[in-house]
Amino acid sequence: MKQETNQLRIYPVPKGAVLQEDYCLRVRAEGTKDWQELKAYRVKVDMHDVRCASMAYFDFTGSVEVEITFPKFYTVYRVDIRPLSLGIQAKTEPKRITFTLDKPANLSVEVNKDRFHNLHLFAGALEEMPDKTGDNVLVVSGSLDRPGFLGDGINEQLEAMPKGRMLYVEPGIYYIGECVWRLPSHTHIYLEGGAVLIGGLALEHGEGLHIDGRGILYLADFARFSSINGIRLNHSRNILLENLIFINPPHYTVSLGDCEDVIIRNIKSFSCEGWSDGVDMMSSRRVLVEKSFLRTSDDCVAVYGSRWDNRGDSSEITVRHTSLWADVAHPMMIGTHGDHEHEGDVIRDILFEDIDVLEHHEFQPGYLGVMAVNAGDKNLVQNVTYRNIRIEPFEHGKVLDFQVKWNRDYNPAPGRGIRNILLENIQVSSGEGEEPSVIAGYSEEFSVHGIEIRDFCRDGKKAESLEEAGILVGDYAEDIRML
């Protein structure tokens, strides 16, 4: 068998990009002598006490060596590279860290247990960039030395081209006219590594949109109540988003409202404002989120029914092979919003699989739960599976919270019920901030029925009872089985 060649690709950093200089980073393909410098971007985390962490990215094949040193006085006593499930170990010296990667990974490198000034390192798979010389390609040529602009004239040019058109954005900083770029359907937008767009993207009543590349959407300068999303998709279908990085959108990273047939793959996001969720889905169907890294100051992933002008049930949602880090609220949330003005919605057929939970940090008693199903607004939540979930020690919260609720801050009415939830191979590493998990209904009519828990392990040992698992069963909850 032919041995795979070790290759490395570093992307340019445009002048004016907001960098964080807590670390000096170098990388090299294993077996080569020359190191390449890697710059780190500033990302703000944790809305309750906003701090500046670091983020850097590169692509490679084969094996690559990473070196981290410190421009300021720093002594390394301990290094954690998470998710811990990857088993990556660093060689440490008082002022230097090195480790080797042999496959793509989205990592948090934490020195001396500091989770708030850490390095997020995204080592991606080296892929061939698309051909930008074709007749159906519009190229936006940027500059690494001065900012550019993306305005409405771009849409006019694209819409004059046949379907299947591509907009290729070269490295540089680009300001989006009027802050939100409303995209045309049937378009492929490729953001080359080193392209930084300042503003958000949106698609309304559209279809056939593909956005990918190694570019960054930078929204850190927008205030919280501007409510700008990284990407907003409403009443749209057949969407593919992949390999994008989002820095501090003031609202959701990706908002889906009345959408279907959507794939979100290998996105990375950071937020530090209230309501700055990761991927939120309202009245949407057939959605896949995979291979991503979401560090948010509200729910990382949320699945709802009707909200705003989006109407209808949500179904067939899969989130897999992903790392979730909730500095505030829930890593996985289902059920709060629905059609309370009528009979509510059904939220069904939801799968969370192969998930690493890196943090759950919430102190408000009504918003605890790594895995939260909080049925409100007359919603019925049914047929939900959590499989192969690895929960690392978290600051404060619950492992699970399955309740039919009337949250008067958000719900004019309680939910209708929760039915048929499966938890399978749940691995919990205990932490000092864990509260007991809860399963409870709201009333005899609005109840929880049919929770099956298989292979729930705490600190490597299988729990043989709900008590050992740390789960309390309240009123109006029936058929709770632990296997």
Side-chain angles (χ1 to χ4, degrees), residues 1-51:
M1 181 181 294
K2 184 178 179 180
Q3 187 174 3
E4 189 175 25
T5 303
N6 297 328
Q7 298 181 54
L8 175 65
R9 181 182 292 161
I10 303 296
Y11 296 101
V13 176
K15 183 179 179 181
V18 182
L19 302 180
Q20 188 72 9
E21 298 180 343
D22 292 341
Y23 306 94
C24 291
L25 307 174
R26 298 196 303 174
V27 293
R28 66 182 176 188
E30 192 171 37
T32 63
K33 294 182 179 180
D34 296 331
W35 291 96
Q36 296 188 51
E37 184 181 12
L38 187 64
K39 293 293 187 180
Y41 291 79
R42 176 179 300 166
V43 294
K44 294 184 287 186
V45 299
D46 187 20
M47 63 172 282
H48 292 312
D49 183 9
V50 176
R51 281 154 285 187

Side-chain angles (χ1 to χ4, degrees), residues 44-48 51 115-116 118 120 270-272 294-300 324-331 358-363 395-396:
K44 294 184 287 186
V45 299
D46 187 20
M47 63 172 282
H48 292 312
R51 281 154 285 187
R115 292 189 177 185
F116 296 104
N118 58 315
H120 305 84
F270 305 89
S271 70
C272 66
L294 303 175
R295 181 174 187 177
T296 59
S297 281
D298 212 319
D299 302 331
C300 295
L324 303 177
W325 182 324
D327 284 316
V328 179
H330 312 88
L358 305 188
E359 183 61 280
H360 170 38
H361 185 179
E362 178 59 70
F363 287 90
E395 185 72 18
H396 189 263

Side-chain angles (χ1 to χ4, degrees), residues 155 159 165 180-189 200-211 229-241 254-262 309-310:
N155 281 9
E159 289 167 351
R165 56 201 166 225
V180 178
W181 180 14
R182 290 164 177 82
L183 304 170
S185 295
H186 305 293
T187 302
H188 179 189
I189 297 173
L201 309 179
L203 179 68
E204 302 273 353
H205 298 279
E207 62 180 350
L209 179 66
H210 179 187
I211 310 174
N229 303 284
I231 297 179
R232 186 180 73 247
L233 305 171
N234 282 351
H235 315 295
S236 298
R237 63 180 186 173
N238 297 328
I239 312 297
L240 173 58
L241 311 175
V254 180
S255 173
L256 302 178
D258 184 27
C259 291
E260 58 186 20
D261 300 311
V262 178
D309 66 336
N310 310 298

Side-chain angles (χ1 to χ4, degrees), residues 281-293:
M281 296 162 256
M282 288 75 70
S283 300
S284 292
R285 302 153 297 282
R286 298 185 299 281
V287 179
L288 170 63
V289 180
E290 66 176 359
K291 300 180 181 178
S292 296
F293 185 105

